[in-house]
Amino acid sequence: MKKFLILAALSAILLSCGSNRDQVLKVYNWSDYIDETVLPEFEAWYKAQTGEDITVVYQTFDVNETMLSKIEKGHEDYDIVCPSDYIIERMLNSGLLLPLDFASIPDSINYIALNKSPYIQQVFRDINPSIDANDYSVAYMWGTTGIIYNTEKVTAEEAGTWDIIRNPKFAGQILIKDAPRDVYGPVLIYLKQKELQEGTVTLQDLMQDSSDESIAAVEAYLKQVKDGVLGWEADFGKDQMTKGRGVVSLNWSGDAVWAIDEAAEVGVSLDYIVPEEGSTVWFDGWVIPKYAKNTKAATYFIDFMCRPDIAIRNMDETGYVSANGAFEVLESQIDDELEPIDLSYFFGPEAAAVCVDPVLYPDKSVIDRCALEHDWGKDTDKLLAMWSRVKGDNASSMTYVIIAIAFIAIIAAILVSRKNKKRRHKRR
Ligand code: SPD
């Protein structure tokens, strides 16, 4: 990692010293979301394919909203970024994306065309009803939102409902992803159980529901949750779970796979569940923002990421699941000791009973109780305001205590110093 950061810093210096921008590819991706050794391999592969030099400048973000605000301001000339579904939708709506064109890539190395899953293509069609997201993005990883839990402290039954995040039994040991949409969706699904069961609303309706009433209901719920929260985390939750500090974590399936593996090595037993009430299924995809300067290298980079062996390495390193539909990718994950699950929806009829980790690839029955998040347009601001009210209250009580202590300490220091001065004065 250190080596890579030095490399990235050197690349940035190179860039600022006026090196040719055509020979630089600026990638902006989620943190912990790639096997970094594939980056220099891309540079060599690109040279072999095109005869041109390329240096990858790689930067990371923790949440969609940070990335989006940089792109929306137009101050950054990233060539390629990796937003989630509802952000892709938003970027499409605001004309921030360039259409992808893979025509220049020879057929023999056109990994995108060779390995597209029909399931992913359909999901991407559903992202934006008016513009086909397949023309502007290529899925990278995907997964669900659920609960990682410590099996020695929490039962599968307790973890199988979203109610667990406000269960006082686990107060002080609950981690919540600092991702407003990914928390809002599941909480609203939980609160609307009755309506869902009666059929008066659908999961999809709830993903579009930005009404004041629903935001208020989720806010009230989260205010009950926050007293028991150990941390609102963008990336440290999985680590806290492996160390046994947290016992419940509202998290993404990829972090769950990583945490379950790491924890097992130190004797901590974790598992992951998508609560019965339903949840969100999400997809992160590569896109080329309209301010990009090197669309050619960006196009080749997306293609390279779709090469099955590269996809497998990225999966194995991060715990996340590639959106690549190649059978080779599925085969790399088969473990005959596991129970068979139905992945025909993703890989076709041959995958109707495959022995694969169900945390990695959710069974069809799990997918059926999950929905895709959608962009809320301007209403997003209402959600972000609610989110900072929920978290902000937490911070301010802590902040007040810290300010009060600091204030008392300063007054005490002034009084002591005055007293000392007076003493010195008297002595003279
Ligand atoms: N550490 C990388 C995490 C990327 C997960 N993306 C999930 C987005 C859900 N909206």
Side-chain angles (χ1 to χ4, degrees):
M1 177 72 183
K2 249 189 204 159
K3 238 194 240 164
F4 181 76
L5 287 177
I6 294 170
L7 215 83
L10 282 177
S11 314
I13 293 167
L14 233 144
L15 196 61
S16 62
C17 291
S19 87
N20 189 349
R21 181 65 175 85
D22 290 348
Q23 293 176 356
V24 172
L25 178 71
K26 293 176 90 173
V27 181
Y28 195 31
N29 190 14
W30 294 81
S31 53
D32 296 345
Y33 217 29
I34 203 164
D35 174 349
E36 286 168 5
T37 63
V38 307
L39 298 175
E41 278 182 49
F42 167 72
E43 295 174 348
W45 179 81
Y46 186 74
K47 173 87 177 173
Q49 301 305 325
T50 64
E52 294 166 24
D53 289 316
I54 196 78
T55 301
V56 175
V57 173
Y58 188 78
Q59 289 180 16
T60 61
F61 59 87
D62 284 332
V63 286
N64 273 306
E65 285 67 22
T66 312
M67 178 276 297
L68 182 66
S69 93
K70 278 197 175 184
I71 305 285
E72 282 183 338
K73 280 182 195 140
H75 296 154
E76 302 286 347
D77 60 349
Y78 295 116
D79 297 305
I80 183 151
V81 295
C82 189
S84 296
D85 35 49
Y86 67 99
I87 299 287
I88 296 177
E89 181 179 4
R90 183 181 174 111
M91 292 172 112
L92 281 173
N93 286 336
S94 40
L96 279 173
L97 301 183
L98 294 179
L100 302 178
D101 180 6
F102 295 103
S104 59
I105 296 188
D107 286 351
S108 59
I109 57 155
N110 191 328
Y111 302 109
I112 299 157
L114 293 172
N115 303 309
K116 267 203 166 172
S117 150
Y119 168 71
I120 294 283
Q121 270 178 295
Q122 184 53 50
V123 170
F124 270 58
R125 248 173 251 130
D126 294 342
I127 284 183
N128 192 318
S130 45
I131 312 168
D132 188 349
N134 287 294
D135 297 335
Y136 293 81
S137 53
V138 170
Y140 176 50
M141 302 278 191
W142 68 289
T144 53
T145 306
I147 295 287
I148 309 177
Y149 63 101
N150 184 316
T151 62
E152 277 153 27
K153 312 269 169 58
V154 182
T155 66
E157 200 186 332
E158 286 167 326
T161 165
W162 290 112
D163 199 36
I164 190 162
I165 60 172
R166 63 170 176 186
N167 188 334
K169 191 172 156 192
F170 308 114
Q173 297 169 285
I174 299 170
L175 292 144
I176 305 282
K177 202 41 99 185
D178 193 3
R181 285 299 302 267
D182 297 330
V183 176
Y184 179 89
V187 170
L188 189 63
I189 289 171
Y190 173 74
L191 295 174
K192 297 280 181 177
Q193 269 313 281
K194 191 162 161 284
E195 291 83 341
L196 281 167
Q197 276 155 16
E198 290 168 354
T200 49
V201 289
T202 64
L203 285 173
Q204 271 313 325
D205 295 334
L206 297 182
M207 296 297 105
Q208 310 269 13
D209 183 354
S210 57
S211 64
D212 291 345
E213 188 202 356
S214 291
I215 292 183
V218 172
E219 177 169 359
Y221 186 90
L222 288 176
K223 283 183 171 161
Q224 293 168 25
V225 168
K226 77 171 198 179
D227 285 339
V229 169
L230 169 64
W232 305 86
E233 56 90 21
D235 241 349
F236 63 81
K238 52 185 184 206
D239 222 43
Q240 296 288 302
M241 291 299 288
T242 58
K243 292 190 173 119
R245 292 190 190 128
V247 300
V248 170
S249 165
L250 187 159
N251 216 317
W252 300 310
S253 47
D255 276 13
V257 171
W258 187 93
I260 292 168
D261 282 359
E262 291 286 314
E265 304 214 338
V266 292
V268 174
S269 167
L270 302 180
D271 208 344
Y272 174 80
I273 194 164
V274 175
E276 273 313 307
E277 296 99 2
S279 185
T280 58
V281 56
W282 52 262
F283 302 82
D284 296 335
W286 298 115
V287 296
I288 303 184
K290 74 170 182 190
Y291 310 108
K293 293 279 189 306
N294 196 341
T295 54
K296 179 177 175 187
T299 307
Y300 271 79
F301 183 83
I302 298 176
D303 188 52
F304 185 70
M305 288 296 128
C306 294
R307 208 173 85 182
D309 61 317
I310 299 296
I312 294 167
R313 277 166 59 190
N314 287 334
M315 276 177 83
D316 291 346
E317 176 67 23
T318 64
Y320 280 87
V321 181
S322 168
N324 193 310
F327 222 71
E328 199 179 328
V329 174
L330 173 63
E331 274 166 352
S332 75
Q333 306 301 320
I334 288 186
D335 175 351
D336 288 330
E337 283 177 13
L338 297 168
E339 293 292 311
I341 55 171
D342 178 6
L343 295 185
S344 55
Y345 71 94
F346 194 88
F347 290 102
E350 283 169 69
V354 281
C355 300
V356 169
D357 180 357
V359 178
L360 209 53
Y361 284 99
D363 184 88
K364 179 76 169 64
S365 60
V366 174
I367 291 295
D368 288 345
R369 60 175 195 272
C370 291
L372 190 68
E373 290 167 19
H374 282 283
D375 176 38
W376 286 2
K378 286 203 176 78
D379 278 1
T380 305
D381 294 343
K382 293 198 294 183
L383 175 79
L384 298 181
M386 176 275 269
W387 193 249
S388 49
R389 279 196 301 277
V390 169
K391 284 177 41 194
D393 291 351
N394 221 358
S396 56
S397 48
M398 280 263 283
T399 314
Y400 289 140
V401 174
I402 293 167
I403 292 174
I405 293 172
F407 187 71
I408 293 168
I410 291 169
I411 300 288
I414 294 174
L415 291 178
V416 171
S417 115
R418 274 195 191 160
K419 220 178 178 184
N420 288 345
K421 250 189 201 168
K422 266 188 194 163
R423 257 193 224 145
R424 279 199 299 270
H425 209 252
K426 263 188 193 171
R427 262 187 239 137
R428 267 186 237 145

